[in-house]
Amino acid sequence: MKNIILLCVIFLTGFNIVLSQEDFELTIVEKSDKPNTEKTHLYVLQLTNNTSKNTSIALSIEQINCKNEEQRLQTGFTFEFYNLERTQLLQKVLVNGKSSVKFYLKKIAPNDATKSAWNCTTIKASNGQNKILSSITMNSLVQDPTKVN
């Protein structure tokens, strides 16, 4: 009887782990190596499709209010998605089943950005029906060069 109960617990735990895996995962796999005082930064993002279906994914950006008290002063940034060769501006990516695709996110601070201001942005991957499949939030600081050691 103990063996049956133990087998049931192991089976249910394994089943729960399989179900908890997200169908799509958006991650930052390479951060910009430039200092915060630079205006333009490039990040490598990866979108993983854990399903067996090839899926066209729309990429979008939503600038949100920063919630941290220290991030009270805020500014807008421009964001663009590019292929890895940086030759094509992207709005969508095709991710084959059980595979991943990498692409660049270019973040550009405005010329007149307020120093020591923050930008909080949600990067979204969604399907054709505007259902968000995965998202990440990026908090960025416009570094005041006079305050860098």
Side-chain angles (χ1 to χ4, degrees), residues 45 59-61 80-82 88-90 103-105 123:
L45 275 57
L59 304 171
S60 63
I61 296 292
E80 299 169 341
F81 299 103
Y82 287 92
Q88 182 180 8
L89 196 61
L90 302 175
F103 52 92
Y104 278 108
L105 171 68
I123 304 156

Side-chain angles (χ1 to χ4, degrees), residues 48-146:
T48 301
N49 179 353
N50 294 314
T51 72
S52 58
K53 295 180 183 177
N54 298 348
T55 308
S56 178
I57 303 292
L59 304 171
S60 63
I61 296 292
E62 179 183 1
Q63 297 193 41
I64 60 174
N65 285 327
C66 300
K67 300 201 185 317
N68 189 329
E69 185 68 26
E70 296 172 359
Q71 300 171 333
R72 186 176 296 175
L73 188 59
Q74 298 180 39
T75 190
F77 278 35
T78 300
F79 292 88
E80 299 169 341
F81 299 103
Y82 287 92
N83 63 354
L84 287 181
E85 294 78 27
R86 289 188 262 168
T87 58
Q88 182 180 8
L89 196 61
L90 302 175
Q91 294 179 345
K92 291 185 176 186
V93 291
L94 177 63
V95 189
N96 293 330
K98 302 291 183 190
S99 67
S100 299
V101 65
K102 291 181 181 177
F103 52 92
Y104 278 108
L105 171 68
K106 184 176 183 180
K107 178 181 77 172
I108 308 163
N111 290 329
D112 61 349
T114 305
K115 302 301 180 216
S116 301
W118 286 87
N119 175 275
C120 298
T121 298
T122 301
I123 304 156
K124 299 177 185 179
S126 56
N127 66 6
Q129 292 81 35
N130 292 325
K131 178 184 175 193
I132 298 170
L133 303 173
S134 186
S135 67
I136 52 177
T137 299
M138 178 183 284
N139 298 337
S140 305
L141 173 66
V142 179
Q143 184 73 49
D144 184 344
T146 64

Side-chain angles (χ1 to χ4, degrees), residues 7-62:
L7 274 172
C8 287
V9 169
I10 291 171
F11 174 75
L12 292 175
T13 302
F15 186 69
N16 192 25
I17 290 170
V18 169
L19 286 180
S20 67
Q21 183 180 21
E22 297 293 325
D23 287 346
F24 295 89
E25 296 174 74
L26 182 62
T27 55
I28 299 173
V29 294
E30 188 179 316
K31 296 181 180 182
S32 174
D33 58 358
K34 292 184 177 182
N36 281 347
T37 53
E38 294 288 324
K39 178 183 170 184
T40 303
H41 292 267
L42 284 174
Y43 301 84
V44 177
L45 275 57
Q46 178 173 289
L47 183 59
T48 301
N49 179 353
N50 294 314
T51 72
S52 58
K53 295 180 183 177
N54 298 348
T55 308
S56 178
I57 303 292
L59 304 171
S60 63
I61 296 292
E62 179 183 1

